[in-house]
Amino acid sequence: MIDLETLESAAAQVRRVVPPTPQYCWPLLSQRVGAEVWVKHENHTPIGAFKIRGGLVYLDELKRAQPTIRGVVTATTGNHGQSIALAATRLGLAATIVAPFGNSLEKNRAMAGFGARLVEAGHDFQAAYEYAAALAERESLHLVRSYHALLVRGVASYGLELFRAVPVLDAVYVPIGLGSGICGVIAAREALGRAAEIVGVVAENAPTYALSFAAGAPVSTNSADTMAGGLAVRVPDPEALDIICKGASRTSWCPTPRSAGRCGSSSPTRTTSPKAPVLRRSPQPCRSAIGCAASGSR
Protein backbone atom coordinates (compact mmCIF):
# COMPACT_ATOMS: atom_id res chain seq x y z
CA MET A 1 0.00 0.00 0.00
CA ILE A 2 1.28 3.46 -0.93
CA ASP A 3 0.68 6.08 1.76
CA LEU A 4 -1.17 9.31 0.99
CA GLU A 5 1.89 11.51 1.56
CA THR A 6 3.81 9.63 -1.14
CA LEU A 7 0.91 9.92 -3.57
CA GLU A 8 0.50 13.62 -2.84
CA SER A 9 4.20 14.19 -3.55
CA ALA A 10 3.88 12.40 -6.89
CA ALA A 11 0.72 14.35 -7.72
CA ALA A 12 2.59 17.61 -7.09
CA GLN A 13 5.23 16.50 -9.62
CA VAL A 14 2.50 15.76 -12.14
CA ARG A 15 0.74 19.10 -11.64
CA ARG A 16 3.86 20.98 -12.72
CA VAL A 17 3.08 19.78 -16.25
CA VAL A 18 -0.50 18.45 -16.25
CA PRO A 19 -3.32 20.35 -14.53
CA PRO A 20 -6.16 18.31 -13.03
CA THR A 21 -8.44 16.88 -15.70
CA PRO A 22 -12.24 17.24 -15.54
CA GLN A 23 -14.79 14.60 -14.64
CA TYR A 24 -18.31 15.01 -15.97
CA CYS A 25 -21.58 13.27 -15.31
CA TRP A 26 -23.20 12.70 -18.70
CA PRO A 27 -27.02 12.48 -18.46
CA LEU A 28 -27.68 10.35 -21.56
CA LEU A 29 -24.99 7.88 -20.56
CA SER A 30 -26.42 7.77 -17.04
CA GLN A 31 -29.90 7.11 -18.43
CA ARG A 32 -28.63 4.26 -20.60
CA VAL A 33 -26.75 2.62 -17.74
CA GLY A 34 -29.38 3.28 -15.09
CA ALA A 35 -26.85 4.87 -12.73
CA GLU A 36 -25.11 8.18 -12.19
CA VAL A 37 -22.06 7.82 -14.47
CA TRP A 38 -19.00 10.05 -14.14
CA VAL A 39 -16.34 10.00 -16.85
CA LYS A 40 -12.79 11.03 -15.92
CA HIS A 41 -11.50 12.80 -19.03
CA GLU A 42 -7.85 11.81 -19.16
CA ASN A 43 -8.06 12.55 -22.88
CA HIS A 44 -7.52 16.17 -21.79
CA THR A 45 -3.84 15.61 -20.92
CA PRO A 46 -1.04 16.71 -23.30
CA ILE A 47 -0.90 13.19 -24.79
CA GLY A 48 -4.61 12.42 -24.57
CA ALA A 49 -4.10 9.67 -21.99
CA PHE A 50 -3.41 9.15 -18.28
CA LYS A 51 0.01 7.64 -19.00
CA ILE A 52 1.77 11.02 -18.99
CA ARG A 53 1.32 11.15 -15.22
CA GLY A 54 3.41 8.02 -14.66
CA GLY A 55 6.10 8.96 -17.16
CA LEU A 56 6.70 12.33 -15.51
CA VAL A 57 7.18 10.83 -12.05
CA TYR A 58 9.25 7.85 -13.25
CA LEU A 59 11.75 9.89 -15.25
CA ASP A 60 11.99 12.66 -12.66
CA GLU A 61 12.97 10.05 -10.07
CA LEU A 62 15.31 8.28 -12.51
CA LYS A 63 17.12 11.50 -13.41
CA ARG A 64 17.53 12.36 -9.74
CA ALA A 65 18.91 8.90 -8.93
CA GLN A 66 21.13 8.67 -12.03
CA PRO A 67 22.06 12.20 -13.11
CA THR A 68 24.52 10.95 -15.77
CA ILE A 69 22.09 8.57 -17.48
CA ARG A 70 22.49 8.47 -21.30
CA GLY A 71 19.00 7.66 -22.41
CA VAL A 72 15.98 5.43 -22.05
CA VAL A 73 14.16 2.88 -24.18
CA THR A 74 10.67 1.44 -23.87
CA ALA A 75 8.08 -0.51 -25.84
CA THR A 76 4.57 0.71 -26.50
CA THR A 77 1.54 0.79 -28.74
CA GLY A 78 1.35 4.54 -28.24
CA ASN A 79 0.26 6.16 -24.99
CA HIS A 80 3.08 4.94 -22.74
CA GLY A 81 5.55 5.83 -25.49
CA GLN A 82 4.18 9.35 -25.80
CA SER A 83 4.48 9.70 -22.04
CA ILE A 84 8.13 8.65 -21.98
CA ALA A 85 8.96 10.73 -25.06
CA LEU A 86 7.48 13.92 -23.60
CA ALA A 87 8.91 13.39 -20.12
CA ALA A 88 12.37 12.49 -21.44
CA THR A 89 12.56 15.50 -23.76
CA ARG A 90 11.54 17.75 -20.87
CA LEU A 91 14.53 16.45 -18.88
CA GLY A 92 17.00 16.53 -21.79
CA LEU A 93 17.14 12.73 -22.06
CA ALA A 94 17.25 10.76 -25.30
CA ALA A 95 14.26 8.44 -25.68
CA THR A 96 14.02 5.43 -27.98
CA ILE A 97 10.51 4.06 -28.43
CA VAL A 98 9.90 0.60 -29.90
CA ALA A 99 6.47 0.10 -31.45
CA PRO A 100 5.19 -3.00 -33.26
CA PHE A 101 4.80 -3.01 -37.02
CA GLY A 102 1.36 -1.79 -38.06
CA ASN A 103 1.05 0.48 -35.03
CA SER A 104 -1.13 3.59 -35.14
CA LEU A 105 0.47 6.11 -37.54
CA GLU A 106 -0.96 8.98 -35.51
CA LYS A 107 0.62 7.75 -32.29
CA ASN A 108 3.92 7.02 -34.04
CA ARG A 109 3.98 10.59 -35.34
CA ALA A 110 3.09 11.94 -31.91
CA MET A 111 5.95 10.03 -30.25
CA ALA A 112 8.41 11.32 -32.84
CA GLY A 113 6.92 14.80 -32.45
CA PHE A 114 7.67 14.71 -28.73
CA GLY A 115 11.32 14.08 -29.61
CA ALA A 116 11.70 10.29 -29.50
CA ARG A 117 13.62 8.03 -31.85
CA LEU A 118 10.99 5.61 -33.15
CA VAL A 119 11.93 2.00 -33.89
CA GLU A 120 9.44 -0.49 -35.36
CA ALA A 121 9.91 -4.13 -34.38
CA GLY A 122 7.76 -7.19 -33.72
CA HIS A 123 4.19 -8.12 -34.59
CA ASP A 124 2.65 -7.02 -31.28
CA PHE A 125 3.44 -5.30 -27.99
CA GLN A 126 5.11 -8.31 -26.37
CA ALA A 127 7.45 -8.80 -29.33
CA ALA A 128 8.25 -5.08 -29.31
CA TYR A 129 9.01 -5.25 -25.59
CA GLU A 130 11.41 -8.14 -26.08
CA TYR A 131 13.18 -6.17 -28.82
CA ALA A 132 13.38 -3.11 -26.55
CA ALA A 133 14.95 -5.19 -23.77
CA ALA A 134 17.62 -6.45 -26.17
CA LEU A 135 18.20 -2.92 -27.47
CA ALA A 136 18.66 -1.62 -23.92
CA GLU A 137 21.39 -4.19 -23.34
CA ARG A 138 23.08 -3.52 -26.67
CA GLU A 139 23.09 0.28 -26.45
CA SER A 140 23.45 0.64 -22.65
CA LEU A 141 20.07 2.33 -22.30
CA HIS A 142 17.76 2.30 -19.29
CA LEU A 143 14.77 0.07 -20.00
CA VAL A 144 11.46 1.57 -18.88
CA ARG A 145 8.90 -1.16 -18.36
CA SER A 146 5.25 -0.36 -19.07
CA TYR A 147 4.48 -1.31 -15.48
CA HIS A 148 6.50 -0.07 -12.50
CA ALA A 149 5.73 1.17 -8.99
CA LEU A 150 6.88 4.70 -9.90
CA LEU A 151 4.51 4.76 -12.86
CA VAL A 152 1.70 3.74 -10.51
CA ARG A 153 2.51 6.61 -8.13
CA GLY A 154 2.16 9.14 -10.90
CA VAL A 155 -0.95 7.59 -12.42
CA ALA A 156 -2.61 7.49 -8.99
CA SER A 157 -2.91 11.27 -9.19
CA TYR A 158 -5.94 10.93 -11.47
CA GLY A 159 -7.50 8.57 -8.95
CA LEU A 160 -6.99 11.15 -6.21
CA GLU A 161 -8.65 13.79 -8.39
CA LEU A 162 -11.63 11.56 -9.20
CA PHE A 163 -12.29 10.35 -5.67
CA ARG A 164 -12.03 13.88 -4.25
CA ALA A 165 -14.28 15.38 -6.92
CA VAL A 166 -16.89 12.60 -6.59
CA PRO A 167 -16.37 11.13 -3.10
CA VAL A 168 -19.47 8.89 -3.09
CA LEU A 169 -18.65 6.65 -6.06
CA ASP A 170 -19.98 3.11 -5.71
CA ALA A 171 -17.78 1.62 -8.46
CA VAL A 172 -14.98 2.65 -10.78
CA TYR A 173 -14.38 0.88 -14.11
CA VAL A 174 -10.77 1.01 -15.29
CA PRO A 175 -9.32 -0.40 -18.54
CA ILE A 176 -6.35 -2.74 -18.08
CA GLY A 177 -3.31 -2.72 -20.38
CA LEU A 178 -0.38 -3.81 -18.23
CA GLY A 179 -2.00 -2.50 -15.07
CA SER A 180 -0.60 0.86 -14.00
CA GLY A 181 -3.97 2.58 -14.40
CA ILE A 182 -6.05 0.23 -12.29
CA CYS A 183 -3.26 -0.16 -9.72
CA GLY A 184 -3.08 3.64 -9.44
CA VAL A 185 -6.83 3.86 -8.83
CA ILE A 186 -6.59 1.10 -6.21
CA ALA A 187 -3.73 2.98 -4.51
CA ALA A 188 -5.72 6.23 -4.47
CA ARG A 189 -8.82 4.53 -3.09
CA GLU A 190 -6.85 2.88 -0.29
CA ALA A 191 -4.91 6.04 0.60
CA LEU A 192 -8.11 8.10 0.82
CA GLY A 193 -10.05 5.40 2.64
CA ARG A 194 -12.83 5.20 0.04
CA ALA A 195 -15.06 2.15 -0.34
CA ALA A 196 -15.74 2.14 -4.09
CA GLU A 197 -15.68 -1.20 -5.90
CA ILE A 198 -12.99 -1.26 -8.61
CA VAL A 199 -13.63 -3.26 -11.78
CA GLY A 200 -10.96 -3.93 -14.39
CA VAL A 201 -12.01 -3.92 -18.04
CA VAL A 202 -10.31 -5.97 -20.77
CA ALA A 203 -11.02 -6.52 -24.46
CA GLU A 204 -12.64 -9.88 -25.24
CA ASN A 205 -9.83 -10.90 -27.59
CA ALA A 206 -7.12 -9.79 -25.13
CA PRO A 207 -8.32 -11.46 -21.92
CA THR A 208 -5.00 -12.24 -20.22
CA TYR A 209 -5.81 -10.22 -17.09
CA ALA A 210 -9.38 -11.54 -16.85
CA LEU A 211 -8.11 -15.11 -17.14
CA SER A 212 -5.30 -14.40 -14.67
CA PHE A 213 -7.67 -12.76 -12.18
CA ALA A 214 -9.98 -15.76 -12.33
CA ALA A 215 -7.05 -18.17 -11.89
CA GLY A 216 -5.30 -16.13 -9.21
CA ALA A 217 -2.05 -16.54 -11.15
CA PRO A 218 -0.55 -15.24 -14.42
CA VAL A 219 -2.17 -16.73 -17.52
CA SER A 220 -0.61 -15.72 -20.84
CA THR A 221 -2.42 -15.91 -24.17
CA ASN A 222 -1.08 -16.61 -27.65
CA SER A 223 -2.52 -13.45 -29.16
CA ALA A 224 -4.19 -10.15 -28.32
CA ASP A 225 -6.17 -9.43 -31.48
CA THR A 226 -8.06 -6.24 -30.70
CA MET A 227 -8.29 -2.73 -32.11
CA ALA A 228 -8.13 -1.44 -28.54
CA GLY A 229 -4.34 -1.13 -28.80
CA GLY A 230 -3.89 -0.01 -25.21
CA LEU A 231 -5.48 -3.26 -24.01
CA ALA A 232 -3.67 -5.57 -26.45
CA VAL A 233 -1.60 -7.46 -23.89
CA ARG A 234 -0.97 -11.21 -23.90
CA VAL A 235 1.48 -11.54 -20.95
CA PRO A 236 0.40 -10.06 -17.59
CA ASP A 237 2.77 -8.38 -15.16
CA PRO A 238 2.92 -10.48 -11.94
CA GLU A 239 3.31 -7.46 -9.64
CA ALA A 240 0.36 -5.68 -11.19
CA LEU A 241 -1.73 -8.84 -11.11
CA ASP A 242 -1.10 -9.30 -7.40
CA ILE A 243 -2.37 -5.78 -6.68
CA ILE A 244 -5.39 -6.26 -8.93
CA CYS A 245 -6.29 -9.58 -7.32
CA LYS A 246 -6.16 -7.99 -3.87
CA GLY A 247 -7.76 -4.64 -4.70
CA ALA A 248 -10.26 -5.17 -7.52
CA SER A 249 -13.61 -6.88 -7.03
CA ARG A 250 -13.75 -8.41 -10.50
CA THR A 251 -12.79 -7.95 -14.15
CA SER A 252 -15.12 -7.48 -17.09
CA TRP A 253 -14.41 -8.21 -20.73
CA CYS A 254 -16.02 -6.23 -23.51
CA PRO A 255 -16.30 -6.41 -27.28
CA THR A 256 -14.27 -4.24 -29.63
CA PRO A 257 -14.88 -3.70 -33.38
CA ARG A 258 -13.15 -7.05 -34.03
CA SER A 259 -15.13 -8.81 -31.31
CA ALA A 260 -18.71 -7.60 -31.18
CA GLY A 261 -21.78 -8.74 -29.36
CA ARG A 262 -21.07 -9.77 -25.76
CA CYS A 263 -19.86 -8.58 -22.41
CA GLY A 264 -18.90 -10.71 -19.48
CA SER A 265 -17.25 -11.00 -16.10
CA SER A 266 -14.57 -13.17 -14.56
CA SER A 267 -15.93 -12.97 -11.05
CA PRO A 268 -15.95 -15.91 -10.82
CA THR A 269 -17.72 -17.21 -13.94
CA ARG A 270 -18.17 -15.70 -17.39
CA THR A 271 -21.64 -14.34 -18.10
CA THR A 272 -23.08 -12.61 -21.14
CA SER A 273 -25.39 -9.70 -21.78
CA PRO A 274 -26.72 -8.30 -25.07
CA LYS A 275 -27.01 -4.81 -23.64
CA ALA A 276 -24.53 -1.99 -23.05
CA PRO A 277 -20.89 -3.12 -22.73
CA VAL A 278 -19.29 -3.18 -19.27
CA LEU A 279 -22.07 -1.35 -17.46
CA ARG A 280 -25.44 -3.08 -17.39
CA ARG A 281 -28.68 -1.19 -17.87
CA SER A 282 -30.93 -1.27 -14.84
CA PRO A 283 -34.67 -1.75 -15.38
CA GLN A 284 -35.37 0.96 -12.80
CA PRO A 285 -33.43 4.19 -12.11
CA CYS A 286 -30.92 3.70 -9.33
CA ARG A 287 -28.75 5.95 -7.23
CA SER A 288 -25.45 4.20 -7.80
CA ALA A 289 -22.58 6.47 -8.82
CA ILE A 290 -20.12 4.91 -11.26
CA GLY A 291 -16.80 6.32 -12.45
CA CYS A 292 -14.81 5.34 -15.51
CA ALA A 293 -11.63 6.54 -17.19
CA ALA A 294 -11.75 7.87 -20.76
CA SER A 295 -8.22 7.11 -21.87
CA GLY A 296 -6.00 4.47 -23.39
CA SER A 297 -3.36 2.43 -21.70
CA ARG A 298 -0.10 1.08 -23.13
Side-chain angles (χ1 to χ4, degrees):
M1 179 174 173
I2 309 173
D3 63 81
L4 183 58
E5 182 179 0
T6 299
L7 294 185
E8 294 284 22
S9 177
Q13 290 176 277
V14 171
R15 282 194 299 270
R16 292 200 291 265
V17 180
V18 181
T21 58
Q23 45 278 313
Y24 297 122
C25 180
W26 295 97
L28 292 181
L29 182 58
S30 295
Q31 289 172 25
R32 177 173 176 78
V33 172
E36 182 180 301
V37 178
W38 290 81
V39 178
K40 180 62 170 168
H41 283 276
E42 289 297 278
N43 54 319
H44 286 212
T45 74
I47 68 168
F50 70 85
K51 284 288 187 177
I52 183 58
R53 299 171 180 269
L56 290 168
V57 171
Y58 185 102
L59 289 189
D60 276 353
E61 295 295 332
L62 178 66
K63 181 69 172 178
R64 188 175 294 112
Q66 302 179 36
T68 61
I69 186 171
R70 284 186 52 198
V72 299
V73 61
T74 195
T76 188
T77 56
N79 293 334
H80 172 67
Q82 290 181 78
S83 168
I84 297 304
L86 188 156
T89 298
R90 174 177 168 269
L91 295 172
L93 293 173
T96 298
I97 309 296
V98 182
F101 289 111
N103 196 52
S104 163
L105 293 178
E106 292 81 5
K107 290 187 177 182
N108 284 357
R109 292 189 187 111
M111 290 183 282
F114 284 127
R117 172 178 63 136
L118 183 68
V119 176
E120 292 182 283
H123 66 285
D124 65 2
F125 168 74
Q126 185 63 29
Y129 172 78
E130 291 166 6
Y131 185 91
L135 191 62
E137 183 72 21
R138 187 162 66 247
E139 297 188 4
S140 299
L141 299 172
H142 176 88
L143 177 64
V144 183
R145 295 166 51 211
S146 294
Y147 180 87
H148 189 277
L150 286 174
L151 296 175
V152 173
R153 288 187 197 179
V155 167
S157 59
Y158 93 80
L160 293 178
E161 293 169 14
L162 177 61
F163 284 122
R164 283 172 168 158
V166 194
V168 292
L169 287 172
D170 296 295
V172 181
Y173 286 72
V174 190
I176 306 177
L178 266 180
S180 66
I182 189 170
C183 290
V185 173
I186 290 170
R189 180 195 63 182
E190 297 302 308
L192 291 172
R194 299 292 193 264
E197 174 188 26
I198 294 176
V199 182
V201 180
V202 304
E204 184 179 20
N205 282 357
T208 182
Y209 271 96
L211 297 174
S212 299
F213 184 88
V219 178
S220 299
T221 59
N222 293 326
S223 66
D225 183 21
T226 172
M227 290 184 68
L231 309 185
V233 173
R234 55 187 173 88
V235 179
D237 183 279
E239 183 180 345
L241 178 62
D242 182 61
I243 294 171
I244 295 167
C245 286
K246 292 175 180 176
S249 63
R250 58 191 172 93
T251 61
S252 291
W253 50 273
C254 279
T256 63
R258 290 184 185 174
S259 166
R262 298 182 298 167
C263 289
S265 169
S266 65
S267 176
T269 59
R270 197 155 122 164
T271 59
T272 62
S273 168
K275 298 183 179 180
V278 187
L279 307 177
R280 294 183 179 175
R281 182 186 300 173
S282 300
Q284 300 293 331
C286 68
R287 297 182 179 181
S288 297
I290 296 170
C292 53
S295 175
S297 187
R298 287 186 353 273

